[in-house]
Amino acid sequence: MGRIRLLPETVASQVAAGEVVERPASVVKELVENSLDAGARNINVVIRRGGISLVRVIDDGCGMDRDDALLSLERHATSKIRSAADLQAVATLGFRGEALPSIASVSRFRLTTREARAIAGTEIIVNGGKIDVARDGGEAPGTQVEVRSLFYNLPARRKFLRSENTESRNIEHQLHLQAIGHPQIGFSLIRDDRMLFQLPAAVTLSDRIRDLYGAELLQRLVEISDAASPKVRISGFTGQAGLSRQARTQQLVFVNGRAIESSLLTGAIREGYHTALMKGQYPVTFLFLELDPAAVDVNVHPAKREVRFRDPNGVREAIVRCIQQTLETARAGWQQKFRAPVQPPAAVSGRRAPDLTLRSEVSAPEEAHRELPHLRVAVAGGADSGRAPVPEIVRQALRLDSAGEAPALKQQQRAAKAPQQQFEIIGVLSRLYVLMENADGLVLVDQHAAHERILFEELRRRMEEQGVPTQKLLLPQTFDVPPRDADWIERNLSILQRMGIGIESFGPDTFKIDTLPSFLDVSDAAQFMRKVIDDLKSAGNSASTMRLGEEMIAKSVCRHAVKANDPLRFPEVEKLIRDLLDCDLPYCCPHGRPTMIQISLAELEKKFGRKV
Ligand code: ADP
Ligand code: MG
């Protein structure tokens, strides 16, 4: 009896701070969100020593009067929701009424604020949760919050902080998130007296991306084309196929303006990219989802980093479709570059220097090509019946005829669909890179990667059209799995069989395999099966049947594709390029590495100092 006590208010706040204020970056997050909710147009952030010694956030938002300023420091005091019903559809970034008192309870805290039309502002100083001073102050309209000596009264917490550099970088990342999420708002960050960035207000998302990450990245992004799902509006930018990063710092996702972390969404993005993304790499994405606030529960995580969707599958599918569609649109843009006629050199050098000697030198390479006509061949017109040579083993597996042709009807359809391709092959570098010219300038093609992409799409088409060709094992293999996996296999037997894996139950937790897809070269069927099961399980329940098939194809194709230094005869190179341009995703191999690199004439002019 008598052992239970109500905690004093300051202790309760410190407990709450444990969840909300993890590190200096969380202080920045909460304060900037408050500024955004207050309708600020400009938000300036100053940090010192990784934010541990100082975080100051200054805004030109609506400000507070004296009573509200005092109240804002009470726990569960908020202007943003009033009832439990409001919690169903939160339209602001904040709503918990916990940030200010939490931060103030673990720091030396100073708040100054003034409403635009008020004669005087208010200044409040709090130390470790205790209000020391509340008086009139004469600040500019808006609010300024200063947080010094974070965790000075919680040494255990302080010990968990990382180096000043790391904490600074966390803060920078946090501000990047906010700045990308709100391009209409101006942001600046000063770190230890150095201005790290100053972003003007009222810009478009693409301007903001350029200001933060540079024009070069922006060039490699594609604007997202909305798949027009009635419930989720998706917009933003995403990397072209082949663009990826080793870390996920440029994979930003916003739900109703709130930056969130969500394995559901990142999984969906990855699935949308599928073979356009290297394994273990992360896409570059600035993805914005707008949906009815009632369809999202933001009250899941104390730091509001996660959300729950009422219809997670719907959201997921909308994103997958949207990314796929965007990449496909980007392909059209890429193919456009091969549609215009290749410009004759004279037209290109319209901006040439008036110097006559220089001009004659410019035309010299032309002479050289005339002497080597077999090296430089102009290729125009639609795809003909020629295809890249298909390796024997693949041909047999797919039961193609000896020329590697698909059935006649299919071939016609593809020819009809094929766009006019215009390019000139210049030669092959180092037996690997095909050099060519299109209307845009120079194109380099990785012949090996190109062949992988072509074979991959050919195989996939076959799988979709006729199912997977299979091969009987000489000796059927049995293998044991743990009960949970056995259960899983039982439930997915029919899927596995459709994929060309002849598998059946062979006693409790034991299975027998007697056929495998014939294009696979598997020495240990049991081990292969275990890998397949792992792959499929990690892909989740909703993964389509084709998915794993594609994965397997991608792997096997790589083995059968042209070796990097296989010399190809000229007509083969030409066919290779044509077939590549005909692919659904021509610009990257099935593993997400690029197949083609375009170097535009404009870039060349810049490099040669002809244009600044
Ligand atoms: P919440 O944001 O969840 O409401 P906070 O503790 O972060 O809780 O803030 C409490 C209240 O203080 C807010 O609801 C808001 O009314 C007010 N407030 C906080 N920061 C600002 C600011 N920068 N400008 C104007 N009002 C603010
Ligand atoms: Mg808040």
Side-chain angles (χ1 to χ4, degrees), residues 29-31 33-35 37 78 80 93-100 304:
K29 173 181 194 283
E30 293 295 339
L31 296 182
E33 284 187 352
N34 279 348
S35 298
D37 282 344
T78 179
K80 299 169 194 175
L93 294 168
F95 59 89
R96 298 171 53 96
E98 275 192 323
L100 289 188
K304 300 160 289 179

Side-chain angles (χ1 to χ4, degrees), residues 399-451:
R399 302 185 188 112
L400 293 174
D401 63 31
S402 60
E405 298 297 340
L409 176 67
K410 204 65 206 160
Q411 194 63 34
Q412 272 166 19
Q413 285 172 352
R414 285 174 52 76
K417 193 184 81 178
Q420 290 271 314
Q421 302 162 348
Q422 307 221 31
F423 56 89
E424 278 187 32
I425 292 172
I426 301 166
V428 179
L429 176 73
S430 185
R431 287 182 165 185
L432 171 59
Y433 304 107
V434 180
L435 303 182
M436 48 191 227
E437 182 179 351
N438 67 0
D440 225 35
L442 179 67
V443 186
L444 295 160
V445 179
D446 178 330
Q447 151 186 326
H448 177 65
H451 211 153

